[in-house]
Amino acid sequence: MFGLNANSAGTSATINAQPIRVLAGETILTAALREGVDFPHSCRVGGCASCKCRLVEGQVRELTESGYLLSEDELAQRTILACQSVPMGPVRIEVEQTKALAVQTCSGTVVAQEAMTHDIQRLCVQLDAPLHYKPGQFAQIRVESLPGVTRSYSFATPPHGQGMVEFFVRRVGGGIFTEHVHSHSLVGQKAHVQGPLGPFWLRESDAPVLFIAGGSGLAPVMAMLRAMQAQRLARSVTVLFGARTQADLYCMDELRAMAASWAGPFRLLPVLSEVQPDAIWPGARGLVTEHVLDVLEPGMHAYLCGPPGMIDAASVQLQQAGLAKGHIHADRFTTLHDAPALANTAPEATEFIAPPESVGAWLVALWHYLKFFLFHVEGLAVAAALFAGGGWITLALVGFSLFSTLGDMLLGDDTSTPRYRHPWVLTVQLWMALPVLLLICFAAVWSVSAGDPLGAGAMLSQWSGLDLLAAREATHWGHHVSAFLVTGLMIGMVGTIPGHELTHRTWEPVSLWVGRWLLAFSFDVGFAIEHVYGHHRYVSTINDPATAPRGRNVYVHIVISTLRGNISAWRIEASRLQRRRLALLSWHNAYLRGLAMSAVLVAAAWAMGGAWAALFFCTCALWGKALLEIVNYMEHYGIVRDPAQPVQPRHSWNTNKRVSSWAMFNLTRHSHHHAQGEVPYQDLQPYPNAPMMIGGYLTTIGVAMIPPLWHRLMTPKVLAWDRDYANASERVLAMGANARAGWSHRSETAAVVQPG
């Protein structure tokens, strides 16, 4: 389980004839990037295959199963994922690289600092030596008054022979670097700039160019425009610049001057999203993406710079309008607050904003860890009630249900997004679900057993002073029904929810092992295969077993999704084994190993209390599995997506209810989870503008189990989704889905009120 002692003293790697040093335990990708090698990559967690390369010589230890992502031919050619491969000794790698410039580290001095808007400052740095980069690329910046903190910013100027560079720094609430820049004068301080970085630069072509920028995303656009102007290029240029208000516009005089002197056509269109209806503003209003189609020219190439939401929306529009994907280039301007997925590249992202300066601040920081222990407290309380027997069991069921539903109703939403100094604590909290669930299920099976397995009853009676064996004998059958219901709820909550989170971490062997055992309690280890490699790929399409079509009954969905999900898991695993040239009916089959794990648990229940105890455990497990499918039902019900388009936050129903979020490890933030499946639960964003569920999770589960009530409440929400969230192609899919559900008369109404 812990792997071999590979690379214990470090080793070497040769990448396209370039030798590099690989530290002990380091992946090839991490080493390559540290050594300044231009290595293609994206997610860095084994989920995208962007870093695939060929292992020409040597051996590697794989941190995750690449057979789910690589084809049989690729595996036969010794293709590996660099981000998930640790060398066992010297290796030689071949990879297709872009024609990027070598990364350099330069020192310099901040020579000017200017406020461009209320939240954007221009930093001018005079480097000690010129830095070669392409306009549009970015660099890592560090200043001497903030040691150890490095952030990424795009160059706002083209390369200068004298080494002068500029950056636009937007203030981010709570950001260590941005708060420092905006509250201190840095003029005269030493700065360190490492770059160039990133594949974003202007490609050589005569095609018309469309620049779409938002906020400080104007920086790389200005660098490219200034370079084009210096070269007197006559390419047709259109600049869409999105801002909130007139006060957020900047560089406008320079852009207007460019437009007046440009060698070819030049259109400048600033767009304000929060301008008051009665304000004097002669320009465009609304979101910048609402004006993309108005300015398109045939054969255009597009360069998008700004927040991820703008980038995603504009990319979809451009592709639907006929722009080739290869002619759309994007640079997502994310922050550590907005993009927790980047924590792998910026260690400081997982820390709190600053060391707590008071007892109150320390308690707030502590609370952000403790709130996720609500899960364990509930589990232990249920286990205690199962041992106590009688009315305590029913009280635990009723208390858990009322606390979850009323807590969500009364306590409102949790939209906090703290950064954690010790994220390993949050991983251990997930691992602790396994002993808690073992205790709950042991107590449940003990409560219906004739004997006293492991002498647990006698031991606990002696410790507590209560006669637990007598209490068990006096337990009414109705309380045993409560035991079945609450145990199934716990298998679903304590087992499936952390199991879901942990099986996403395919690069962490311990997490994956714990997650699979947690799923074994609901006979659903196949979920670890189908969910990660199937559901996240096909979510909200007709190919996804877990996405319920419009009009489907929840009880029908439980059966259909269970059957189709297991068939999908089997097929995915069979394909992997075929690629690996391994036997289908063997211990290599993760699906079969999962069934064996569940069989071990059933056998343990049988050993405790015979056939009746084993049957009781099986019914609890199946109830826990049914809960998973109910949750699948309500998380994606009725939403449609074109399989050719990327998954967006709008493709999942979301909720930020406080108790549900704390007790379910932020599973409630499902919109972000599907947009970035590799992001750990503590870093998921609340996305308050995403499609929202009826209420918290337990409330929505209750509504889903009453089909007439569900359809009465959800049908209007689904039609509102068509109107407010669906793009053009999704509205077409939605009309077909409505027709199949018998909602044709309603879809026509929705089409009338769609925006635009």
Side-chain angles (χ1 to χ4, degrees), residues 234-429:
R235 294 176 68 175
S236 173
V237 168
T238 300
V239 179
L240 276 178
F241 179 31
R244 294 185 297 274
T245 67
Q246 285 180 266
D248 297 304
L249 295 174
Y250 61 100
C251 289
M252 297 305 295
D253 290 341
E254 182 178 356
L255 287 169
R256 292 189 184 101
M258 282 185 180
S261 62
W262 200 256
F266 191 112
R267 288 182 294 175
L268 172 62
L269 183 62
V271 183
L272 301 185
S273 61
E274 296 182 9
V275 63
Q276 295 300 318
D278 57 349
I280 300 175
W281 169 246
R285 301 176 183 232
L287 298 177
V288 69
T289 51
E290 295 173 0
H291 300 272
V292 171
L293 301 181
D294 299 333
V295 299
L296 280 182
E297 297 179 26
M300 250 183 173
H301 292 187
Y303 294 82
L304 320 178
C305 325
M310 184 202 80
I311 298 293
D312 294 337
S315 297
V316 170
Q317 283 185 306
L318 292 169
Q319 290 183 57
Q320 289 176 343
L323 264 69
K325 191 173 182 180
H327 292 162
I328 303 173
H329 309 279
D331 189 6
R332 297 168 183 265
F333 269 46
T334 50
T335 67
L336 296 183
H337 173 78
D338 297 327
L342 299 180
N344 287 329
T345 60
E348 65 271 15
T350 57
E351 298 185 358
F352 281 101
I353 292 168
E357 298 176 355
S358 66
V359 173
W362 184 86
L363 290 175
V364 170
L366 179 63
W367 166 247
H368 285 300
Y369 291 95
L370 293 179
K371 66 184 182 183
F372 292 117
F373 277 108
L374 174 62
F375 166 97
H376 308 83
V377 172
E378 290 178 332
L380 293 174
V382 167
L386 288 167
F387 278 118
W392 288 106
I393 301 175
T394 300
L395 180 62
L397 172 64
V398 174
F400 169 77
S401 302
L402 289 177
F403 176 72
S404 299
T405 54
L406 294 179
D408 281 337
M409 292 178 186
L410 299 176
L411 298 181
D413 291 350
D414 177 14
T415 57
S416 62
T417 54
R419 293 188 293 276
Y420 290 88
R421 184 186 301 273
H422 305 294
W424 63 268
V425 173
L426 301 162
T427 297
V428 172
Q429 285 177 303

Side-chain angles (χ1 to χ4, degrees), residues 60 134 141 172 361 480 593 661 702:
V60 299
K134 296 181 180 182
I141 310 170
V172 178
H480 285 304
R593 292 204 308 273
S661 295

Side-chain angles (χ1 to χ4, degrees), residues 102 120 130 157 180 260 290 331 357 718 727:
I120 294 179
T157 50
H180 185 76
E290 295 173 0
D331 189 6
E357 298 176 355
V718 172
N727 59 30

